């Protein structure tokens, strides 16, 4: 059984949430950005996290990914309490995030960017890189990583850009590259922070199609996006935040008919 088949089987058989956020709170000075937020994410889902500007979505993402430490509350991922973990420890557990602004290494090629993503590479250890008795293992792993990198670039249809410096890519191409890098870490769950912002319609559709293919393979997504049509057509369930709190949660049809959600969007404030 491949890693993806195993992931799909786990998602099909597992009934418990892969991510559980309970009573999460975070303040900055006298401003409460996240105020007692609780929700659970089921494995193999694309869950939308929406809300007007100032709702606390970005802060919630930063708390889950380890960029911020919560004042109180718990974050449990795949059965492990990761509350207060550093971002690298969160990623090592299999919970990886993308960023609203892609963070590629501009002077390196697209292929090199993707090959750098996996953790714990043998070539990162000095003695394995230079001593003859250990070099063969490094070379074997590099060949395997290169093959995976090419397959991942082909999956996102940017393999024709493999030798191009990442800094020369368009905004949409950079989003595809970032997703490719995320996928190379072999995550269990991916946090997507406005992955379609600044992406032209053709690349937007391509990225959405890839997300659904990955979902079918058992990957789990928490998806922050301002385009309501995209969220309503691709996410289920949807969590709505307002003024740092969870306002509503449910299927797209339920959210569309919730008067509180409409009122919140008409009275939004500035994002924390």
């Amino acid at each position: 059984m491949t890693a993806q088949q195993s992931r799909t089987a786990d998602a099909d058989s597992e009934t418990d949430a892969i991510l559980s956020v309970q009573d999460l709170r975070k303040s900055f000075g006298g401003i409460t950005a996240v105020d007692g937020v609780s929700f659970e994410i089921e494995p193999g889902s694309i869950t939308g996290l929406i809300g007007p500007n100032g709702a606390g979505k970005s802060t919630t993402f930063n708390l889950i990914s380890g960029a911020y430490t919560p004042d109180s509350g718990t974050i449990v991922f795949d059965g492990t309490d990761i509350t207060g973990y550093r971002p690298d420890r969160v990623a090592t557990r299999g919970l990886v995030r993308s960023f609203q602004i892609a963070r590629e290494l501009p002077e390196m090629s697209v292929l090199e960017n993707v090959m750098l993503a996996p953790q714990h590479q043998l070539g990162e250890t000095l003695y394995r890189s230079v001593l003859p008795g250990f070099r063969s293992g490094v070379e074997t792993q590099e060949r395997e990583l290169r093959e995976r990198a090419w397959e991942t670039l082909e999956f996102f249809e940017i393999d024709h850009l493999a030798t191009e410096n990442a800094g020369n890519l368009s905004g949409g191409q950079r989003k595809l590259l970032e997703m490719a890098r995320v996928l190379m870490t072999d995550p269990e769950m991916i946090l997507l922070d406005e992955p379609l912002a600044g992406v032209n319609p053709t690349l937007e559709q391509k990225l959405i199609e890839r997300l659904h293919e990955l979902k079918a393979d058992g990957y789990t997504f928490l998806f922050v996006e301002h385009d309501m049509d995209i969220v309503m057509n691709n996410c289920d369930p949807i969590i709505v935040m307002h003024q740092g709190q969870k306002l509503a949660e449910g299927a797209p049809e339920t959210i569309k008919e919730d008067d509180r959600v409409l009122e919140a969007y008409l009275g939004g404030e500035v994002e924390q």
Side-chain angles (χ1 to χ4, degrees):
M1 181 180 289
T2 66
Q4 287 188 347
Q5 288 171 332
S6 175
R7 183 182 292 109
T8 303
D10 289 343
D12 289 340
S13 62
E14 182 61 69
T15 57
D16 292 335
I18 189 171
L19 178 69
S20 177
V21 173
Q22 298 297 324
D23 200 24
L24 206 60
R25 299 176 186 274
K26 182 65 178 179
S27 296
F28 299 95
I31 300 174
T32 300
V34 176
D35 186 10
V37 168
S38 298
F39 58 80
E40 294 187 339
I41 305 297
E42 295 300 317
S45 66
I46 302 178
T47 300
L49 180 62
I50 65 173
N53 290 337
K57 305 182 301 295
S58 296
T59 302
T60 300
F61 246 45
N62 285 326
L63 291 169
I64 294 171
S65 63
Y68 296 156
T69 301
D71 298 332
S72 62
T74 59
I75 304 166
V76 176
F77 174 69
D78 200 19
T80 299
D81 188 338
I82 62 169
T83 310
Y85 275 26
R86 299 188 311 271
D88 59 312
R89 290 189 67 195
V90 174
T92 300
R93 296 294 308 177
L95 178 57
V96 180
R97 72 168 293 175
S98 72
F99 290 89
Q100 184 174 348
I101 300 175
R103 299 186 176 186
E104 76 285 344
L105 299 172
E107 300 302 321
M108 300 183 72
S109 73
V110 167
L111 180 62
E112 290 169 336
N113 266 267
V114 174
M115 288 185 65
L116 278 176
Q119 303 183 59
H120 310 304
Q121 297 188 39
L122 298 178
E124 295 174 350
T125 306
L126 179 60
Y127 75 89
R128 288 185 181 274
S129 300
V130 299
L131 295 180
F134 295 97
R135 183 61 194 168
S136 61
V138 174
E139 292 172 349
T140 298
Q141 186 188 61
E142 286 181 351
R143 282 196 300 271
E144 294 172 351
L145 285 176
R146 184 174 292 272
E147 291 176 4
R148 278 187 59 204
W150 274 107
E151 291 173 357
T152 304
L153 292 178
E154 290 171 2
F155 178 76
F156 288 102
E157 299 182 22
I158 53 173
D159 49 304
H160 62 290
L161 299 170
T163 60
E164 186 74 41
N165 278 4
N168 296 334
L169 302 185
S170 69
Q173 291 168 339
R174 292 180 184 183
K175 292 294 181 75
L176 293 171
L177 172 58
E178 178 157 19
M179 280 299 302
R181 292 175 63 190
V182 167
L183 199 60
M184 281 291 288
T185 67
D186 197 24
E188 293 294 326
M189 179 174 173
I190 302 171
L191 305 174
L192 296 175
D193 188 3
E194 295 194 45
L196 305 177
V199 178
N200 69 52
T202 300
L203 290 180
E204 178 181 284
Q205 185 58 38
K206 182 184 298 185
L207 186 49
I208 290 173
E209 289 173 357
R210 296 302 173 267
L211 292 181
H212 283 284
E213 290 180 42
L214 292 170
K215 175 183 180 293
D217 281 333
Y219 288 90
T220 304
F221 296 92
L222 180 59
F223 188 2
V224 168
E225 176 59 47
H226 277 101
D227 190 319
M228 294 300 294
D229 287 336
I230 290 174
V231 172
M232 292 297 173
N233 292 327
N234 295 282
C235 299
D236 189 4
I238 296 170
I239 299 167
V240 184
M241 291 185 64
H242 180 52
Q243 295 182 348
Q245 300 179 333
K246 186 178 77 173
L247 179 65
E249 181 176 2
E253 296 75 15
T254 303
I255 298 300
K256 286 179 182 178
E257 297 174 357
D258 194 319
D259 291 338
R260 297 172 303 165
V261 175
L262 296 177
E263 183 180 352
Y265 269 93
L266 290 174
E269 298 173 2
V270 180
E271 179 70 42
Q272 300 293 338

